[in-house]
Amino acid sequence: MSQTLRKISEDIHRNPELAFREYKAANWLASFLEGEGFKVQRSAAGMETAFIAEYVSAEGGPTVAILAEYDALPGVGHACGHNIIGTSAAGAGAALKRALSGTRLPGRVLVLGTPAEEGGGGKVLMVKAGVFKDVDAALMVHPTSGLSRIGGRSLATHSFQFDYYGKPAHAAGSPTEGINALDAVNIFFHAVACLRQHVPEDVRMHGMITMGGDAVNIIPEHTQVRYLARSYSLKTLASVVERVKQCAKAGALATGCRLEIQEREGYLARIPNLAISEAFIANLRALGEEVLPGVVDGKGSTDFGDVSREVPACNAYIRIAPEGVAGHSREFCEAAGSAEGAAALYLSAKSMAFTAIDLLTAPELLARAKEEFLKGRDS
Ligand SMILES: [Zn+2]
Ligand SMILES: [Zn+2]
C-alpha cells in the first residue's frame, strides 16, 4: 500500500488543481478507497470534488472522521502540501479498515474529501450539509516546517470588500470638481494603522487595493479594497469587524465618497482538544517522531476551525522541512514532493490510524474528549 500512496501523493503534487476543481485528486483518492472496500459517495455535500468514504466494521460503535485536503495554490502549486494531507487521510482510512476487518470491534470510519481549503471552505459547506452530525471525533494532519506539533488555536477570519465611489475630473485642470475615491482608501488605511495600537495582539488586519483608479490624469472615480480581519476570539473579531468598518466609513466621510460594503464570515477559530491531542502526541512519539509538548497556537486560519466547533477534533502538524521554510513558498512545495514529504505521509497515516484506534477502543478517552469539547465550544 505504501508505494501506491506515495504515487498518488506525487501525482497530486505534479497536477496541482485549484479550489473546487480538484477533479483528478478527488478521483484518485476516492478510487483508492473504493479499491480498499470503502463505500464512497462522490460529489458529496453539493460539491463535485468532495467525497464521503465510509467503512463500518460493526454497528453500534463510535464514528471517527479522517479529513483529506487536496487543493493547490495559484502559481506555486502544492506549496501548502495538501497532497500529503489527502493521501495520508486515505492511507489512514485504508489501514484502519484492514486492522478492523475480522475483529468484532464496532466502529465506523469516514474519510472525508474536503475541497477548497485555500479559498472557498469545503469543510464549512460540509458542516452546513450536516456531514458531521453523527461524527464523534475528527482527525487531520497538515505538513509543516520545524518540529512536529499539535495545532492549538487558529485565527477566525472575516472578509470585506469596500467600494468607494467619487467623481471624476481632470486631475490637473479641474481637481476642485472631483471627488477622489483613492483619497478615501488612503484615509481608511491610515485609520486602520492607528487602530492597530488598540486591538489585542492576536488581531490581524490586512488587505489590498484591487482597483486604484483608471488613469493618472483623472481623479479616481471608483476604488476597491479587499480586506481581512482575524482573531483567535470570535468576540474580539466581532468588535474588530465593526471598528474596521468605522475606519472605512471615515474615508468616505472625509472625502464625500459613497461607500458600499460587502462582507462575509470566513473560517471560525480552531478549538484544540487536549484529550485527543495527548493521545496523538503519544502515538507520534511511539513512532519515533520528536513532537513539541501540548498544543501550539498557529497564526493562520483553516476551515478545520469550523469542524472543531462541531465535534472534538485534532489537527496535527507533521514536519517535512527545516525550521524557517515558509508555507506557500516554492521551497515548501518542493518539500511536499520530496522523500521527506513521503516519510511524513507514512508517519501521518500511521499516527492518525493509531489515534483513531485509541478513540474506537477507549470509551473513557472519547468521553473526556467530548466533555472538553462541550466546555470549550463557546470561546
Ligand atoms: Zn495554505
Ligand atoms: Zn494548508
Side-chain angles (χ1 to χ4, degrees):
M1 177 162 59
S2 59
Q3 285 313 309
T4 310
L5 290 171
R6 182 166 182 174
K7 182 175 184 318
I8 297 174
S9 177
E10 289 173 355
D11 284 346
I12 296 175
H13 189 264
R14 267 194 298 270
N15 292 274
E17 298 169 295
L18 299 182
F20 293 124
R21 289 172 9 220
E22 316 93 328
Y23 298 105
K24 287 180 188 164
N27 181 44
W28 288 329
L29 294 169
S31 300
F32 167 78
L33 287 161
E34 272 164 354
E36 288 290 322
F38 276 73
K39 194 178 92 196
V40 180
Q41 182 195 338
R42 292 166 189 249
S43 299
M47 292 172 277
E48 277 184 302
T49 54
F51 64 83
I52 299 173
E54 181 186 31
Y55 168 70
V56 182
S57 57
E59 295 294 343
T63 296
V64 176
I66 297 175
L67 274 58
E69 293 177 0
Y70 30 78
D71 61 324
L73 290 154
V76 283
H78 273 289
C80 210
H82 293 185
N83 57 307
I84 293 172
I85 305 180
T87 321
S88 62
L96 276 167
K97 180 180 175 284
R98 290 185 186 191
L100 292 170
S101 301
T103 70
R104 297 235 170 117
L105 194 69
R108 182 165 161 256
V109 178
L110 296 179
V111 179
L112 303 177
T114 70
E117 193 281 329
E118 297 289 0
K123 294 181 199 66
V124 179
L125 299 172
M126 290 179 102
V127 164
K128 284 188 179 143
V131 171
F132 292 90
K133 208 166 35 80
D134 301 318
V135 171
D136 294 286
L139 304 174
M140 193 178 85
V141 294
H142 197 296
T144 193
S145 42
L147 285 180
S148 294
R149 60 192 179 275
I150 306 293
R153 296 173 299 174
S154 65
L155 296 166
T157 62
H158 192 99
S159 66
F160 308 89
Q161 181 181 309
F162 298 109
D163 284 276
Y164 290 102
Y165 296 94
K167 189 170 162 236
H170 194 291
S174 48
T176 51
E177 301 303 312
I179 297 177
N180 193 324
L182 188 60
D183 284 349
V185 172
N186 279 322
I187 290 163
F188 165 47
F189 273 44
H190 184 64
V192 175
C194 293
L195 176 58
R196 287 187 202 285
Q197 190 186 357
H198 307 286
V199 294
E201 280 182 24
D202 63 294
V203 170
R204 294 287 187 273
M205 299 177 288
H206 51 98
M208 61 179 180
I209 302 173
T210 43
M211 290 169 70
D214 294 315
V216 82
N217 59 357
I218 309 172
I219 297 290
E221 179 186 16
H222 176 201
T223 54
Q224 186 184 75
V225 171
R226 299 233 173 112
Y227 219 79
L228 261 183
R230 313 191 195 214
S231 169
Y232 287 135
S233 149
L234 299 184
K235 218 169 111 199
T236 302
L237 184 61
S239 98
V240 168
V241 162
E242 286 316 306
R243 296 179 82 178
V244 166
K245 285 196 280 189
Q246 291 300 102
C247 294
K249 286 173 191 168
L253 187 66
T255 55
C257 284
R258 182 167 65 80
L259 170 63
E260 274 179 20
I261 303 175
Q262 292 176 55
E263 55 185 316
R264 195 166 57 83
E265 237 183 49
Y267 298 160
L268 298 179
R270 183 177 55 211
I271 303 174
N273 190 284
L274 298 180
I276 306 178
S277 299
E278 279 163 19
F280 211 126
I281 288 172
N283 287 321
L284 281 168
R285 288 189 176 147
L287 287 160
E289 181 73 352
E290 191 183 353
V291 193
L292 289 172
V295 297
V296 184
D297 290 343
K299 282 284 185 278
S301 305
T302 165
D303 59 0
F304 194 82
D306 293 65
V307 173
S308 75
R309 284 163 188 271
E310 289 296 303
V311 294
C314 180
N315 196 174
Y317 287 76
I318 307 294
R319 172 196 170 92
I320 61 165
E323 183 79 50
V325 175
H328 292 197
S329 67
R330 290 191 205 286
E331 293 74 20
F332 200 86
C333 179
E334 204 176 295
S338 69
E340 280 91 345
L345 148 62
Y346 301 143
L347 178 67
S348 300
K350 285 179 191 167
S351 54
M352 282 195 287
F354 285 11
T355 308
I357 292 280
D358 289 342
L359 290 162
L360 292 171
T361 55
E364 70 281 2
L365 170 62
L366 200 52
R368 265 196 296 132
K370 282 187 176 173
E371 193 185 326
E372 187 188 334
F373 167 74
L374 291 173
K375 274 192 206 147
R377 203 163 42 168
D378 301 321
S379 62

